[in-house]
Every structure is written in C-alpha cells, then in structure tokens.
Amino acid sequence: MSLMTTPAPWCRAVVTGGAGFLGSHLCERLLDSGVEVDCVDNLLSGSEGNIAHLEGRPGFRFVRCDVSSDAVIGHLPGPYDLVLHFAWPRSPADCLRHPLETMDVGSLDTRNALALAHRDGARFLLASTSEVYGDPLVHPQREDY
Ligand SMILES: NC(=O)c1ccc[n+]([C@@H]2O[C@H](COP(=O)([O-])OP(=O)(O)OC[C@H]3O[C@@H](n4cnc5c(N)ncnc54)[C@H](O)[C@@H]3O)[C@@H](O)[C@H]2O)c1
C-alpha cells in the first residue's frame, strides 16, 4: 500500500508521538495524502508548535493524552486503518530526565497501541531505533548496516 503517493480519503490513521519530530512530519504527509489523522501526544518531549500549522486542517485532530494510560483507548474511538506508533522520549537527555516514562513507553504504550490496532484490525507500525543493536561500528549508519 503506497501511503505517500495515493490519495486515500477512506483511510484513517492514529499517530502516537505525533507532536514529535518524525510524528509531526508524518501527520503532515498523511494529511497531504488525504488520510484522516488523529495525532496523540502527551508533549513529554514534543511540542504543540510542531503541529501548529496542522491545526484546523480538515481531517486533523490533536488528542493530548499519555499512550501508557489505559484511558487512551477510550479517547480514540477510531476505527483506524493504520496505527503508527512513534511515541518515545527519543533523545538520551529526555530518557534520563524521564526514566520511568521511558520504561512505560517501551511496554505499556506499545501494548496500548497494539490493542488499538487489534481492536480495529489496523496495520501497525512501530518506529524503533538502531540503538537496539548496541554501539555502532560505523558512523553514520547506512540503511544496510
Ligand atoms: N529522529 C530520528 O532521526 C529517528 C531515527 C530513527 C528512529 N527514530 C525513532 O522514531 C521515534 C520518534 O522519534 P522522534 O525523533 O520523532 O522523537 P521525538 O522525541 O521528537 O518525538 C516523540 C514524541 O513522543 C511523545 N511521547 C513520548 N512519550 C509519550 C507518551 N507516553 N504518550 C504520548 N506521547 C508520548 C513526545 O512528547 C514526542 O512528541 C522514536 O522511537 C525514535 O527512536 C527516530
């Protein structure tokens, strides 16, 4: 399925971490492709400024909510075709500042995002990091590393 080139007004996506660096660009690109987007973020490391230009666009909705909370499911009635899970306090500084939230995001957040996808039969995408492979031997890492 080509998300980026095919207008898909029938498609509804939820982007967790949607007010972050990657999530906000993804929300914009999806909207440009005709996808309805629910952007979910607790603004732990993101900013409303990242999505200010999207407010008021048809099909865009910002839901300020912690994805680690069970309540998130109730805030997101859907149904969704895509669950795109980008919530994460990405920078090492943010992880150190928020150690408990960082643990939650890797477990509870992912479980809740998966529960959403399971509820609606949606496709699920998790943004991970090359850090999971340990200290890299080359910088910058290529896609085939
Ligand atoms: N930026 C990159 O170059 C890059 C490269 C590869 C992978 N990634 C991965 O992509 C994902 C997003 O990266 P990013 O650079 O956009 O990070 P970011 O910190 O800019 O955005 C993450 C967003 O998640 C939100 N968030 C954190 N915990 C949350 C929670 N419990 N509930 C709701 N929202 C929450 C933050 O407020 C923030 O807006 C991360 O998993 C990262 O590891 C990023």
Side-chain angles (χ1 to χ4, degrees), residues 77-93:
Y80 299 104
D81 304 291
L82 302 168
V83 175
L84 308 173
H85 186 32
F86 282 68
W88 188 269
R90 171 183 47 89
S91 77

Side-chain angles (χ1 to χ4, degrees), residues 38-56:
D38 282 354
C39 164
V40 188
D41 205 297
N42 64 355
L43 304 181
L44 186 72
S45 60
S47 154
E48 271 189 284
N50 288 339
I51 50 169
H53 62 300
L54 304 179
E55 294 288 356

Side-chain angles (χ1 to χ4, degrees), residues 28-132:
E28 183 172 8
R29 196 63 189 263
L30 288 166
L31 288 167
D32 289 347
S33 301
V35 176
E36 282 186 20
V37 178
D38 282 354
C39 164
V40 188
D41 205 297
N42 64 355
L43 304 181
L44 186 72
S45 60
S47 154
E48 271 189 284
N50 288 339
I51 50 169
H53 62 300
L54 304 179
E55 294 288 356
R57 276 191 64 167
F60 181 76
R61 187 168 75 109
F62 176 53
V63 181
R64 185 169 180 172
C65 186
D66 188 336
V67 184
S68 65
S69 157
D70 287 343
V72 73
I73 309 277
H75 290 302
L76 300 170
Y80 299 104
D81 304 291
L82 302 168
V83 175
L84 308 173
H85 186 32
F86 282 68
W88 188 269
R90 171 183 47 89
S91 77
D94 283 329
C95 291
L96 290 172
R97 239 190 319 270
H98 307 288
L100 298 180
E101 291 85 350
T102 299
M103 285 194 288
D104 284 350
V105 93
S107 52
L108 297 174
D109 288 47
T110 302
R111 190 181 71 175
N112 286 335
L114 280 168
L116 263 182
H118 185 252
R119 181 193 70 188
D120 295 346
R123 290 184 182 220
F124 180 82
L125 177 78
L126 167 74
S128 185
T129 169
S130 55
E131 299 300 320
V132 298

